[in-house]
């Protein structure tokens, strides 16, 4: 007869957070991540930003060049919140040599999206940090519009 694992051991396995290392995400959260980051990227044109914003809003009734994929990249993303100052939410996104900043509700939206995608926080002394490097997303707009569960892939690494 095989021994049965103890209840505490099973509980630990069920609630233990997953490791945060290099990751690939392909779900609706990946679309949200790409759409949020794209709005701040100096490398993405207005038409691509509008298309991603529409997709994130659930609007698929727009014309699109079916052969084109939108690439969204960021060198790093560093977001901060506090479990002491509950009003504190800020993110810094680095695109090459240019930084962009989000604060307040917009920063919280990005923080929540990073958590949704499994990024583990680094907490200490009242501060909570979410950070990643080398974000690289590819969005096939036509496939996302087809609503078949595909069309988005984002990869990222641990913070530098």
């Amino acid at each position: 007869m095989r021994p049965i694992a103890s209840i505490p051991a099973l509980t630990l396995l069920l609630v233990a957070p997953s490791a945060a290392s290099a990751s690939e995400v392909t779900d609706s959260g990946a679309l949200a991540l790409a759409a949020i980051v794209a709005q701040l990227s100096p490398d993405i044109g207005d038409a691509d930003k509008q298309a991603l914003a529409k997709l994130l809003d659930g609007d698929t009734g727009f014309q699109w060049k079916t052969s084109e994929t939108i690439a969204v990249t960021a060198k790093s993303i560093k977001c901060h919140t506090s479990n002491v100052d509950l009003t504190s939410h800020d993110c810094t996104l680095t695109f090459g040599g240019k930084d962009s900043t989000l604060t307040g509700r917009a920063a919280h939206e990005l923080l929540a999206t990073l958590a949704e995608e499994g990024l583990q926080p680094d907490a200490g002394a009242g501060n909570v940090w979410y950070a990643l490097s080398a974000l690289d997303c590819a969005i096939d707009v036509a496939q996302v519009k087809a609503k078949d569960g595909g069309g988005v892939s984002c990869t990222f690494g641990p913070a530098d």
Side-chain angles (χ1 to χ4, degrees):
M1 182 181 292
R2 300 175 102 178
I4 298 175
S6 70
I7 298 297
L10 286 174
T11 303
L12 271 177
L13 287 173
L14 292 174
V15 298
S18 60
S21 58
S23 296
E24 179 178 11
V25 291
T26 59
D27 58 4
S28 64
L31 175 61
L33 178 59
I36 294 166
V37 172
Q39 299 310 308
L40 297 171
S41 175
D43 303 322
I44 302 197
D46 289 340
D48 290 349
K49 288 178 181 184
Q50 289 173 2
L52 290 170
K54 286 179 180 183
L55 290 174
L56 185 56
D57 285 343
D59 177 2
T60 57
F62 60 94
Q63 295 297 315
W64 188 252
K65 308 156 267 200
T66 59
S67 64
E68 290 196 22
T69 298
I70 300 173
V72 177
T73 61
K75 182 177 179 181
S76 67
I77 299 174
K78 295 177 183 172
C79 291
H80 165 259
T81 190
S82 173
N83 54 16
V84 176
D85 177 0
L86 302 182
T87 67
S88 177
H89 303 93
D90 58 86
C91 296
T92 300
L93 295 81
T94 302
F95 303 97
K98 182 182 184 304
D99 287 351
S100 293
T101 303
L102 290 173
T103 58
R105 184 183 301 250
H108 184 267
E109 181 181 19
L110 181 53
L111 277 159
T113 301
L114 293 175
E116 175 186 4
E117 289 310 309
L119 200 64
Q120 296 298 308
D122 182 14
N127 294 297
V128 181
W129 294 92
Y130 286 87
L132 60 83
S133 66
L135 177 69
D136 187 6
C137 298
I139 301 88
D140 180 334
V141 176
Q143 189 174 0
V144 174
K145 287 176 64 169
K147 299 181 181 183
D148 65 2
V152 180
S153 175
C154 292
T155 60
F156 53 87
D160 295 334

